[in-house]
Amino acid sequence: MQTIQVPLTGNSYNIHLAEGLLSRAPRILQEMGAPSSVVVVSNPAILKLHGAALLKSLEFTGFTTAVISIPEGEIHKTLQSIENILTELVRLRASRKCWLVALGGGVIGDMTGFAAAIYLRGIAHVQIPTTLLAQIDSAIGGKTGVNLTVGKNLAGAFHQPRTVLIDPHLLSTLPRREFNSGLFEAIKYGIIRDPGLFTLIDKHHAALPENNPEILAKIIYECAAIKADVVTRDEKEGHLRMILNFGHTFGHALEAATRYSYMTHGEAVGHGMILAANLSCKLGMLREADRRKIESTVKAIAPLPSLHHLSLDVILEPMQADKKFSGARFRTVLPTAIGQVEIVEDTSKSAMQDTVAEYLDQQVSPENN
Ligand SMILES: NC(=O)c1ccc[n+]([C@@H]2O[C@H](COP(=O)([O-])OP(=O)(O)OC[C@H]3O[C@@H](n4cnc5c(N)ncnc54)[C@H](O)[C@@H]3O)[C@@H](O)[C@H]2O)c1
Ligand SMILES: [Zn+2]
């Protein structure tokens, strides 16, 4: 078992990673002093695939368990679902000592963390992430929350988990497109911090997740370690944590412009990373050879959904509404080499516009491909 420490002041915790860790999770919780009854929060699809294994081993270890199941999907990441979780906890007579166990991807993880942050003014929770994105990103760092009708992730709280238990084996049931979505985020860590990780993913992604468990575990470990390091040094979204937003300024705009239904978050970040590399090159901050390498590696993971039907305005509009936009200048995270990024506070709107316009010109309709 590999362990990554997240040494935050006041709420330090460990991330554990091992193939088959799900069955050992109850022992770890017991050793950490978890109460004898825990509540697992998940969705019907994940429960069907992995719920029985977790519940069986929890009960075998002596835990009393209850399950709260939230309907599947991002559309249920709402305040209503939080109210349902809290109401169910009251019905179960869950006390302040109760621990919640999130078994799921980012949607379940974010909601379980938020419910734990506010139930009886705060109870403990544990993350058992079941998607690649959750294992390398959302389960780590304590950002929890839900979407509002007017926008994504607009209500929430910082609430760190007691531990994060990563079992790469859980990814064997993940649909390929969801797995690739996580790989785009994995590539992001390579570009912002670690050229070796970038090369590792570039070389091996096609054989994952099934055919090379050692490499998969190594990639997850390296990514989780970078996320843990960044959030440790910058727990509450100061300057350093912004580097994790690489590819996300453009990515979020593309997701909003396509109403969150046309592409996955990872695919949007894939486009976003290419756009950021193009912009960086345009500003003379990145060599053309590195730009080309970023583009070809991102595209090799999976073909990105074409943007041929989008207009410049429809993409720029959400970008101007973005939290990172101020006046006529944008804050962007731009690569200066593979393994290195810079936060640029005053990227001009015209440079952003030109970059998006040129990228849209290159897009071909899928029928003509
Ligand atoms: N808190 C953070 O720091 C942070 C960071 C990034 C993203 N997020 C949030 O994470 C969410 C996206 O998370 P996600 O990409 O994990 O998506 P997700 O949670 O929606 O899961 C994707 C799909 O895969 C299914 N699934 C999950 N595990 C599975 C498995 N092992 N086998 C088969 N199917 C499985 C889910 O039921 C779902 O349909 C977004 O809401 C985003 O805002 C949060
Ligand atoms: Zn992301």
Side-chain angles (χ1 to χ4, degrees):
M1 183 167 80
Q2 292 179 291
T3 298
I4 300 163
Q5 292 176 338
V6 191
L8 300 169
T9 12
N11 37 19
S12 296
Y13 57 97
N14 288 330
I15 300 165
H16 299 295
L17 185 154
E19 185 77 11
L21 190 63
L22 188 70
S23 62
R24 286 150 68 191
R27 279 264 172 266
I28 296 171
L29 298 188
Q30 210 168 43
E31 280 159 20
M32 290 176 63
S36 59
S37 70
V38 293
V39 178
V40 176
V41 183
S42 192
N43 76 27
I46 300 163
L47 283 170
K48 200 166 165 201
L49 292 164
H50 303 291
L54 176 63
L55 292 168
K56 224 166 88 187
S57 59
L58 278 167
E59 279 152 25
F60 183 77
T61 317
F63 284 97
T64 311
T65 59
V67 176
I68 299 178
S69 183
I70 303 297
E72 184 177 11
E74 182 80 34
I75 53 160
H76 294 288
K77 195 176 140 179
T78 57
L79 285 170
Q80 183 57 56
S81 295
I82 295 297
E83 175 155 9
N84 295 347
I85 297 173
L86 300 179
T87 306
E88 192 59 22
L89 288 171
V90 174
R91 209 186 57 75
L92 292 165
R93 298 181 198 284
S95 76
R96 222 171 242 141
K97 287 191 191 137
C98 171
W99 286 27
L100 301 187
V101 178
L103 178 71
V107 167
I108 291 296
D110 280 11
M111 280 200 289
T112 308
F114 188 38
I118 61 176
Y119 182 66
L120 302 178
R121 299 197 180 78
I123 61 171
H125 77 294
V126 166
Q127 294 279 352
I128 305 184
T130 63
T131 63
L132 180 56
L133 179 121
Q135 295 190 346
I136 64 173
D137 188 356
S138 62
I140 304 162
K143 274 214 249 171
T144 75
V146 293
N147 305 325
L148 302 180
T149 323
V150 286
K152 275 197 73 176
N153 293 326
L154 291 178
F158 279 99
H159 191 55
Q160 300 294 341
R162 291 293 173 97
T163 186
V164 181
L165 304 176
I166 302 178
D167 181 353
H169 177 69
L170 299 177
L171 306 182
S172 60
T173 56
L174 200 60
R176 184 76 219 183
R177 197 172 172 199
E178 291 296 341
F179 183 76
N180 287 342
S181 192
L183 277 177
F184 290 118
E185 294 275 2
I187 274 286
K188 176 193 83 177
Y189 288 110
I191 298 171
I192 63 176
R193 263 294 177 83
D194 186 345
L197 173 62
F198 180 89
T199 308
L200 193 71
I201 299 167
D202 186 26
K203 220 164 131 188
H204 294 285
H205 63 80
L208 305 177
E210 289 90 2
N211 297 337
N212 208 332
E214 290 82 23
I215 296 285
L216 176 62
K218 189 169 163 54
I219 290 170
I220 295 170
Y221 178 87
E222 304 282 343
C223 294
I226 294 174
K227 172 99 193 227
D229 180 56
V230 171
V231 300
T232 300
R233 296 209 255 145
D234 179 8
E235 190 179 348
K236 298 251 163 93
E237 196 98 356
H239 203 65
L240 180 64
R241 202 159 164 158
M242 281 171 207
I243 68 171
L244 299 173
N245 280 330
F246 170 61
H248 283 62
T249 302
F250 290 114
H252 284 150
L254 292 174
E255 280 185 288
T258 53
R259 297 172 194 273
Y260 300 94
S261 56
Y262 177 62
M263 57 187 122
T264 67
H265 173 70
E267 288 163 351
V269 172
H271 277 301
M273 291 188 291
I274 295 172
L275 279 157
N278 291 353
L279 175 58
S280 191
C281 203
K282 186 187 275 298
L283 297 174
M285 294 168 60
L286 180 73
R287 292 186 315 144
E288 168 61 19
D290 286 342
R291 189 207 67 74
R292 223 178 301 129
K293 183 69 191 156
I294 290 173
E295 177 168 14
S296 63
T297 301
V298 167
K299 286 184 172 166
I301 287 176
L304 295 170
S306 173
L307 308 178
H308 73 284
H309 58 301
L310 296 180
S311 71
L312 185 58
D313 287 346
V314 83
I315 299 173
L316 289 179
E317 209 222 44
M319 235 148 62
Q320 304 194 11
D322 192 285
K323 291 170 267 187
K324 291 162 220 69
F325 176 72
S326 62
R329 307 217 148 236
F330 290 82
R331 178 192 294 144
T332 50
V333 183
L334 300 182
T336 51
I338 291 170
Q340 206 174 305
V341 285
E342 246 176 56
I343 299 167
V344 180
E345 295 290 344
D346 58 349
T347 323
S348 77
K349 189 173 166 183
S350 66
M352 306 272 289
Q353 252 168 348
D354 292 350
T355 305
V356 176
E358 282 161 24
Y359 193 61
L360 288 180
D361 280 347
Q362 296 164 11
Q363 302 288 313
V364 282
S365 124
E367 296 91 65
N368 303 334
N369 215 343

